[in-house]
Amino acid sequence: MNTTACARTTTGLPISVSLRLAAPPEGSRVCVQLPAGVKVRYIPIVVAVHGDSVLVQVAGIEVERCMSRSTTDHFIYNGGDAAADPPRPPSLCLLPPRSLTGGEESAGRRYLYSDATGLLRRGEGEFVVAELNMKDLSDGAELVLLRLHSAGRGEWSVKRPPISRYDYGKGGKLPSSWRNDTVIPFGDRLCWVDLSRGLLFSDVIHDSPGLRYVPLPVDPCFGRCRSLYRNVCATAAASGAIKFVNVFPHRCCGRGSALTMPTPSTPGR
């Protein structure tokens, strides 16, 4: 099966992206190819994934054979559907340059943080790319958005969404700090995860998206190895299910291992 799709960089260089698929538990790979002799400062990375679409970042592409001049490009690769009628081939779309000056965290930065950026696909050829930047929830958040329409058109914008808290009826304040561990597509929303604190849901498809904070249970043993003992994932997104897993070591601070977390019926709304 042909998985290769081609496009051009912002400077007109041809570029191709393809998939090398492997059955689980082996990992599949995304392959990026530029013309011979073209250098890049950094290894291309997968920033975000949703369904059969992948957001790829190619940073530091050499311009006019001078490494002091380089560009950073972002592409959305779609795997296509060979079984469709008619078959839909793979595609590769160059995103508009990320050039923003309106945000404190994003001013002058051309690249995206993979642990803070999510991709949401809607229908055929419509996408939302969203990066959440903040250090303290009480100081508010910066949401950098790109809404790409089916014609391949869109522009970046900066939002300052309000943050509310889903408190299970117990009340409480927003945490004093925040660290993005991962971003999860969830229905028509994106969910930013801080494994030690909680979840932030946002309806990024709306013109005025907000953020809804859902706290995670406190684990006294949760420390530096964040990703080893906790995880959050979306399963059966159509029915609104998000799974939270907390794994306890055999000896955990001499305390019990029972945690409970009520599940809000409509998180993020």
Side-chain angles (χ1 to χ4, degrees), residues 99-158:
S99 55
L100 295 166
T101 58
E104 296 177 3
E105 294 287 339
S106 63
R109 177 161 53 88
R110 306 291 180 178
Y111 56 89
L112 296 167
Y113 291 122
S114 59
D115 56 3
T117 303
L119 173 66
L120 195 64
R121 178 183 174 186
R122 301 187 67 228
E124 294 294 331
E126 294 191 19
F127 299 91
V128 177
V129 177
E131 181 189 60
L132 181 66
N133 298 306
M134 63 181 172
K135 297 179 181 178
D136 188 332
L137 267 69
S138 62
D139 290 338
E142 175 187 280
L143 196 59
V144 179
L145 290 169
L146 171 67
R147 294 185 177 92
L148 194 69
H149 304 291
S150 56
R153 297 177 180 176
E155 60 181 21
W156 294 93
S157 62
V158 177

Side-chain angles (χ1 to χ4, degrees), residues 164-240:
S164 58
R165 176 181 169 114
Y166 188 98
D167 57 8
Y168 311 125
K170 298 180 180 179
K173 298 180 180 180
L174 296 174
S176 59
S177 62
W178 182 268
R179 168 181 156 179
N180 290 309
D181 285 302
T182 189
V183 189
I184 301 171
F186 182 64
D188 285 338
R189 288 166 283 178
L190 288 175
C191 173
W192 283 266
V193 181
D194 181 328
L195 289 172
S196 66
R197 295 172 180 83
L199 318 175
L200 279 170
F201 293 89
S202 180
D203 295 310
V204 293
I205 63 174
H206 292 175
D207 291 335
S208 299
L211 289 167
R212 175 66 61 88
Y213 171 70
V214 179
L216 289 175
V218 176
D219 180 354
C221 302
F222 188 75
R224 291 177 296 175
C225 302
R226 300 165 67 92
S227 61
L228 295 182
Y229 303 115
R230 279 191 164 194
N231 201 5
V232 175
C233 65
T235 61
S239 61

